[in-house]
Amino acid sequence: MNEYYNEHSRHYVGVDCVIFGLCEGKLNILLIKRKMMPGKDRWSLMGGFVEEDESVDDAAQRVLYQLTGLENVYMDQVGTFGEPGRDPGARVISVAYCALINFDEHDRQRVSDNNALWVPLDEMPTLAFDHPQIVAKALEWLREKVHRRPIVFRFLPELFTLRQLQSVYEAILGEDLDKRNFRKRIAEMDVLENTGIKDKRHSKRGATLYKLRIEN
Amino acid sequence: MNEYYNEHSRHYVGVDCVIFGLCEGKLNILLIKRKMMPGKDRWSLMGGFVEEDESVDDAAQRVLYQLTGLENVYMDQVGTFGEPGRDPGARVISVAYCALINFDEHDRQRVSDNNALWVPLDEMPTLAFDHPQIVAKALEWLREKVHRRPIVFRFLPELFTLRQLQSVYEAILGEDLDKRNFRKRIAEMDVLENTGIKDKRHSKRGATLYKLRIEN
DNA sequence: TCAAAAGTGTTCAGGGTACACCCATGG
DNA sequence: CCATGGGTGTACCCTGAACACTTTTGA
């Protein structure tokens, strides 16, 4: 390390995770009620700091693991937030990440240990700091991405019915979709494999269970 | 500041600017030849550090100003790069920004003072560090954004002809466009104002000069 | 008068949307 | 035998792509 670097300031760098999951047919977000200052008792995103020899992406994965017990989850950056006053406790530059997880696979014990709660998007409380902007940006990112990439499967179990899949899209986009058009579009995507198994939990006839073809 | 923060590491945070401009009908990028280690004598993006009470966005604007003399330029984040080894000199987490500038308005003196050069995209040398990935991401960002927002006007002077505008799109997208379809699409965008002035520098008949309507 | 760039509409194909009925089965 | 959710095809519209000729005027 040479003088060139020493002239400059160093900063705390954080990651904040916008964690989405599907619960009872609604898009939910995982929030924590802060136990510490700053922002004590206010709702916020789960965050953490980037440590010495850790990449920023790894820090996000670590924070997600800590809260949900999930590893190797698909996460994407939604933006970096670097206003000097954004965290009233200290200058923290934060990189925001978005994660899509399968609600049924996460570790509920960890969630409650972290004082966290799943909240439907339409009942979201006002968040601390600049977290409202972060969530807004994450949602925008999600709605745009959904049109281009088969990412919604992250919300579902390995096997799922077309009705379930449609519900996920409807929850994300916030609008009802036409069943026939939806199925046609999915078929054109050509990413599903019919398992031949029927799920009779929700109908007498039984709905075909599909899974995502491996390459996706 | 409390103990909660003190347990964590602090990092140098940088900004790297991918600066695009249009020169002789080609999309160019502004690169510097590094005068210092690490990466001495190699080509790279113009960068800088985020200082104590400066927002990350402001740091990017400052770096852009230093190199081009331009202020209040439209810049957008293209991503944050945080692998521990990305800068061999020290751990630097870098936020990459993309700027679209009007080539004719920039300060050439500053560019040469900074040992910088405009390079057409198709003649770009191999860049130092992870800058090749940064540029790739910026280009992807630009090509996608162009479809959705009227941003290409940033490359042009206040008054411009439709032919000029079409050339900008062609340079960005890397393909020729149909003149009539192009004009129809632009008309539908409904963001241009006909000034009634003719530019006779390139044709005897003269091409109508347009300008962007203020609200955009 | 001609070379050189500006300007202008129509046709066609493909994708997206609207829409209604039969199927299988458990109770 | 019927209520419940699963599954399927067609007609229309609109957007995006292909395509060629007339206008103006300085040299």
Side-chain angles (χ1 to χ4, degrees):
Chain A
M1 192 174 319
N2 59 30
E3 283 186 7
Y4 172 62
Y5 295 99
N6 291 331
E7 298 163 15
H8 303 285
S9 308
R10 298 202 299 169
H11 308 271
Y12 294 114
V13 177
V15 292
D16 282 304
C17 296
V18 184
I19 304 168
F20 292 116
L22 212 78
C23 176
E24 292 170 4
K26 286 176 121 173
L27 191 57
N28 281 50
I29 182 170
L30 189 50
L31 298 175
I32 62 170
K33 189 145 192 172
R34 293 178 66 88
K35 285 189 238 185
M36 57 187 73
M37 293 303 286
K40 188 168 183 321
D41 292 332
R42 297 188 62 191
W43 291 100
S44 77
L45 297 169
M46 178 75 173
F49 289 91
V50 177
E51 303 300 350
E52 196 58 35
D53 283 307
E54 179 183 51
S55 79
V56 180
D57 289 353
D58 287 346
Q61 289 282 344
R62 173 172 56 76
V63 167
L64 183 73
Y65 175 75
Q66 195 182 325
L67 183 56
T68 65
L70 297 171
E71 294 180 275
N72 298 318
V73 169
Y74 175 81
M75 294 180 88
D76 213 343
Q77 280 184 19
V78 301
T80 295
F81 296 78
E83 294 298 318
R86 59 173 293 281
D87 184 327
R91 171 97 203 250
V92 179
I93 293 167
S94 182
V95 185
Y97 283 80
C98 188
L100 279 50
I101 73 167
N102 176 351
F103 185 85
D104 295 318
E105 287 174 4
H106 84 280
D107 182 341
R108 286 154 198 248
Q109 186 61 45
R110 284 173 182 269
V111 167
S112 69
D113 288 351
N114 280 283
N115 212 22
L117 205 64
W118 285 97
V119 181
L121 262 194
D122 49 19
E123 298 170 24
M124 197 167 55
T126 303
L127 302 184
F129 317 139
D130 58 357
H131 291 191
Q133 285 110 279
I134 297 179
V135 171
K137 201 147 183 220
L139 257 179
E140 193 185 310
W141 172 87
L142 176 60
R143 294 198 167 125
E144 221 170 75
K145 198 82 173 181
V146 147
H147 293 300
R148 281 197 292 276
R149 300 280 163 194
I151 57 171
V152 302
F153 304 93
R154 314 281 171 175
F155 286 124
L156 293 170
E158 199 193 340
L159 302 185
F160 51 85
T161 66
L162 291 176
R163 189 66 193 78
Q164 276 179 290
L165 184 60
Q166 183 175 340
S167 299
V168 180
Y169 274 93
E170 289 174 338
I172 293 170
L173 300 174
E175 56 182 333
D176 290 348
L177 301 175
D178 177 89
K179 184 165 46 156
R180 281 173 289 192
N181 293 338
F182 177 76
R183 285 165 185 241
K184 203 191 315 171
R185 248 180 35 223
I186 296 294
E188 278 162 8
M189 285 171 106
D190 194 33
V191 295
L192 293 192
E193 186 177 323
N194 182 331
T195 64
I197 309 167
K198 296 277 177 183
D199 174 2
K200 295 206 172 183
R201 283 175 305 167
H202 302 288
S203 80
K204 332 223 157 174
R205 179 177 176 177
T208 307
L209 285 165
Y210 290 81
K211 67 177 178 186
L212 191 59
R213 277 221 312 280
I214 353 81
E215 60 261 36
N216 293 289
Chain B
M1 193 174 320
N2 60 30
E3 283 184 8
Y4 172 64
Y5 295 98
N6 290 331
E7 298 162 15
H8 302 285
S9 307
R10 299 203 297 169
H11 308 271
Y12 294 114
V13 177
V15 292
D16 283 305
C17 296
V18 183
I19 304 168
F20 291 117
L22 213 78
C23 177
E24 291 170 6
K26 286 176 121 175
L27 191 57
N28 281 46
I29 180 170
L30 189 51
L31 298 175
I32 61 170
K33 189 146 194 171
R34 293 178 65 88
K35 285 189 235 182
M36 56 185 77
M37 293 300 288
K40 186 168 184 319
D41 291 332
R42 298 189 61 190
W43 291 99
S44 77
L45 296 169
M46 178 73 174
F49 288 90
V50 178
E51 302 299 349
E52 196 58 36
D53 283 308
E54 178 183 52
S55 78
V56 180
D57 289 352
D58 287 345
Q61 290 282 344
R62 173 172 56 75
V63 167
L64 183 73
Y65 175 75
Q66 195 181 325
L67 183 56
T68 65
L70 298 171
E71 293 179 277
N72 298 319
V73 168
Y74 174 80
M75 294 180 88
D76 212 343
Q77 281 183 20
V78 301
T80 296
F81 296 76
E83 295 298 318
R86 59 173 293 282
D87 184 326
R91 171 101 204 248
V92 180
I93 293 167
S94 181
V95 185
Y97 282 80
C98 188
L100 280 49
I101 74 167
N102 177 351
F103 185 85
D104 296 318
E105 286 174 4
H106 84 280
D107 182 341
R108 287 153 198 251
Q109 187 60 47
R110 283 172 183 270
V111 167
S112 69
D113 289 350
N114 280 283
N115 210 24
L117 204 65
W118 285 97
V119 181
L121 262 195
D122 49 18
E123 299 170 23
M124 197 168 53
T126 303
L127 303 184
F129 317 140
D130 58 356
H131 291 193
Q133 286 110 278
I134 297 180
V135 172
K137 200 144 184 225
L139 258 178
E140 193 187 309
W141 171 88
L142 176 60
R143 294 199 168 125
E144 219 169 76
K145 197 84 173 180
V146 147
H147 292 299
R148 282 197 292 275
R149 299 280 163 194
I151 56 171
V152 301
F153 304 94
R154 312 281 171 175
F155 286 123
L156 293 169
E158 199 192 341
L159 302 185
F160 50 86
T161 66
L162 292 176
R163 191 68 194 78
Q164 277 178 290
L165 184 60
Q166 183 175 342
S167 298
V168 180
Y169 274 93
E170 288 174 338
I172 294 171
L173 300 175
E175 56 182 333
D176 289 348
L177 300 175
D178 178 89
K179 184 164 49 156
R180 281 171 290 188
N181 292 338
F182 177 77
R183 284 165 185 241
K184 204 193 313 172
R185 250 180 35 223
I186 295 295
E188 276 162 9
M189 285 169 101
D190 194 32
V191 295
L192 292 192
E193 186 177 322
N194 182 332
T195 63
I197 308 167
K198 296 277 176 184
D199 173 4
K200 297 207 173 185
R201 283 174 305 166
H202 302 289
S203 79
K204 331 225 155 170
R205 180 175 175 179
T208 307
L209 285 164
Y210 290 82
K211 67 177 179 187
L212 191 59
R213 277 222 312 279
I214 354 82
E215 62 259 38
N216 293 288

